[in-house]
Amino acid sequence: MSGFNYEKDGDGIVTITMDMDGPVNSMSAEYGPMMKATVDRLEAESDLTGVVIASAKKTFFAGGDLKMLAQVTSETAGEFFEGCEAVKADLRRLERLPVPVAAAINGAALGGGLEICLACNYRVAWDDKSVKLGLPEVTLGLLPGGGGIVRMIHLLGLMASNEFLLEGKQVDPARAKEAGIIHEVVASRDELVGLAKAWILANKDNEDAAVQPWDRKGHKIPGGNANTPSLAQMIPAAAPMLIKKTRGLLPAPEKILDVAVSALRVDFDTALRIESRGLTYLVQTAVAKNMINTFFFQLNKVNGGASRPSDVEPQATKKVGVLGAGMMGQGIAYVSAMAGIEVVLKDIDKDAAIKGKGYSEKLLQKRVDKGRMTAEKMQEVLALITPSADNADLEGCDLIIEAVFENMTLKHKITKETEPCLAEGGVWGSNTSTLPITELAEASINPENFIGIHFFSPVDKMPLVEIICGEQTGDVALAKAFDFARQIRKTPIVVNDSLGFFTSRTFATYLEEGARLVMEGLHPIKIDNLGKAIGMPVGPLTIQDEVSQELSRKAQATWVELGYADRFGDQSQYRDFIDWMVLENDRGGRHHGGGYYDYHADGSKTLWPVVVDKYYKPEVSLADEDVKDRLLFRQVIEALKCLESGVLRTVADGNVGSIMGIGAPVWTGGFIQFVNTYGLDKFIARCEELSAAYGDRFDPPAIVAEKLAAGENFS
Ligand code: NAD
């Protein structure tokens, strides 16, 4: 029977096994009445010894019902606040039962899940990789509104709870125990409830065991309260420091800090009420709605295979050939081996391939040193990678991915050489970042099985893979690339072929607009600062230095050579500028001796004086709002053009891809979602203003007016 199963044993211990409708337990509409009825019944028990809260699902408890949260409006905010208070009241009653309450944590306890655990006197978790604990609400623009902030502050103090509350850090049970969030870990899932019961029996006569630390007489918050001198000094500086980090674009961390500081000032129950008010405020913000939409609903849609052909059966990759053991190839080899896939890592000579494998060795050793992997497991993973300079080793690969130099002739050559090594039905993928897949596929004997699999650097850290379908790419190849990306635990977006695909093409506009602003005479530091002010992780000039002017110049030169120059608008000025930097001044980027900036041995950087002398004009003054909008709107417009022309197949791919691949500001929920929140009519009007003032690259794409006329949003 679904619900909260209630079972009392001979020792007087009641085990509540949460088994709600659906695949997970969550704070859905049925949770409130069920928890209330359960606590009512526990309070009415006569000979109760203790309570164990357990779960019948794979995870312990999944947290809030995001669908419901996303729908809260100013009209329903009052009702929502009351709902929060009701959830809290029941958890408060649970922790104030006169007997000890233990949580037996068998799987992930995130958000509301951890909040239930925190309302138990004792928390024991299964020591397994699948078990994660944390309060990730901040990553969705929300705050833990089930008592999470207040209990964490009373349990750990302000400083120690920072990473959990403000960063939404999720930890495994061992780390959670170390941090003081749980009391014990057990090796076997089957021992959980037994151990929880044993603890209850052992503490039957220990009065403190049934009283939460914050309800004990003389309780002191670890690290002190608002009157403790060290904290009293620090608190006024905390908000400005936080805003410096979030640039004032994210209301959730600010509100969390506000509630956390309140918890240091007022009594426990008042703090709980302030927390409910905080969540009620956040849940109505556009930022939270954007983040929930993209990081939850659209991300699940993308990862769930909305862009994968549904009629192709699962295509597991068993042996992958990686051509080129440079920066990208070595990363692709590492993530593949980590997923248990056999890898042949091939370069022009064996030494280069061995060096490429060395990268995996370095990353694995780090894991072992940190205690995150055993030495045996490291050897197992390493044994999966065969360095090679011989095509014969590629025999039987069901997937080959090339990551050799960005050169069409070379890529054609290796396609011809290695395609025959593929197993029957095998797929050949290119990790090119700028060359059209359809043209690369011209060298293929089987273009139906030729596809773009575009990784981001560094491969082991970046979560996105952009899959590009050439004109002739077939469904099986797409399914294969998609399933491979999921196998290596990446998020795959699927796009149609275009110069620069979706991500590189859209991102390039940020770099180009940055360069235009330099040429117009704005100070480079101001340009970089205003890029960060819109929420991009790095300013356009700094990131151009990282990407390297050299690479941008080569890409532009290749496009000119292939007859693609200016396909997306006149880029001749940018091309001349980059040529001036690289060819005339040897400013190829950070790793080529410097770009817009000089990089010094002590890690500091200073502006390259020549660019300032040549271009900076103090008399030029552009409104900050215009500069910010230029840097943002260029990218948004390019993303819309990708949607309009069918490069993007879905809005979800566009939003998820822009955040995870390009670093679109998280508050926007992605470049396309940005237009929904901005308002389609207002967006068109602002584009027209920018176009009149700065050029027709700001013309609003027709798709916006079409959506507006149809009374639709981008979804
Ligand atoms: P890299 O210069 O670091 O590595 C290229 C490797 O290919 C070198 O080790 C080289 O020896 C090897 N190689 C050359 N010819 C070969 C051949 N015939 N057979 C086998 N190996 C050969 O380059 P990279 O940065 O790793 O980029 C590789 C590819 O990935 C390029 O197409 C690039 O556009 C693309 N890419 C790069 C990035 C990035 O951020 N660097 C991101 C996405 C895609």
Side-chain angles (χ1 to χ4, degrees), residues 513 516 520 630 634 637 641 694-699:
E513 201 58 30
R516 279 179 184 269
E520 283 173 38
R630 281 175 61 173
R634 278 299 302 278
I637 289 171
K641 285 184 183 164
Y694 303 107
D696 59 9
R697 62 190 184 284
F698 291 102
D699 282 353

Side-chain angles (χ1 to χ4, degrees), residues 517-589:
L517 289 162
V518 171
M519 289 184 272
E520 283 173 38
L522 213 63
H523 197 280
I525 298 284
K526 183 160 193 181
I527 300 169
D528 260 353
N529 282 343
L530 290 173
K532 286 196 287 186
I534 59 175
M536 291 296 288
V538 205
L541 311 185
T542 301
I543 195 69
Q544 173 74 77
D545 279 4
E546 292 292 332
V547 168
S548 92
Q549 279 78 353
E550 180 60 37
L551 196 105
S552 298
R553 191 192 67 79
K554 273 196 186 145
Q556 287 287 341
T558 309
W559 291 352
V560 170
E561 192 187 308
L562 295 173
Y564 293 135
D566 305 326
R567 182 170 279 197
F568 306 127
D570 180 7
Q571 293 186 311
S572 56
Q573 242 191 324
Y574 175 63
R575 249 189 329 267
D576 292 346
F577 178 72
I578 289 283
D579 281 352
W580 172 77
M581 283 199 84
V582 181
L583 301 180
E584 288 181 39
N585 291 283
D586 203 16
R587 304 298 293 183

Side-chain angles (χ1 to χ4, degrees), residues 104-107 122-131 173-174 177 182-196:
I105 309 164
N106 64 313
Y122 182 71
R123 298 172 286 278
V124 52
W126 178 32
D127 195 8
D128 185 75
K129 264 203 327 242
S130 68
V131 183
K177 185 178 168 196
I182 61 170
H183 300 86
E184 200 47 87
V185 295
V186 288
S188 156
R189 189 185 167 121
D190 302 335
E191 291 171 33
L192 271 176
V193 173
L195 200 121

Side-chain angles (χ1 to χ4, degrees), residues 324 326-328 347 403-406 411 414 431 433 454-455 457:
M327 190 164 100
M328 298 305 285
D347 209 292
V404 301
F405 302 132
E406 189 75 337
K411 290 188 196 271
I414 60 162
N431 178 46
S433 39
H454 179 209
F455 286 84
S457 173

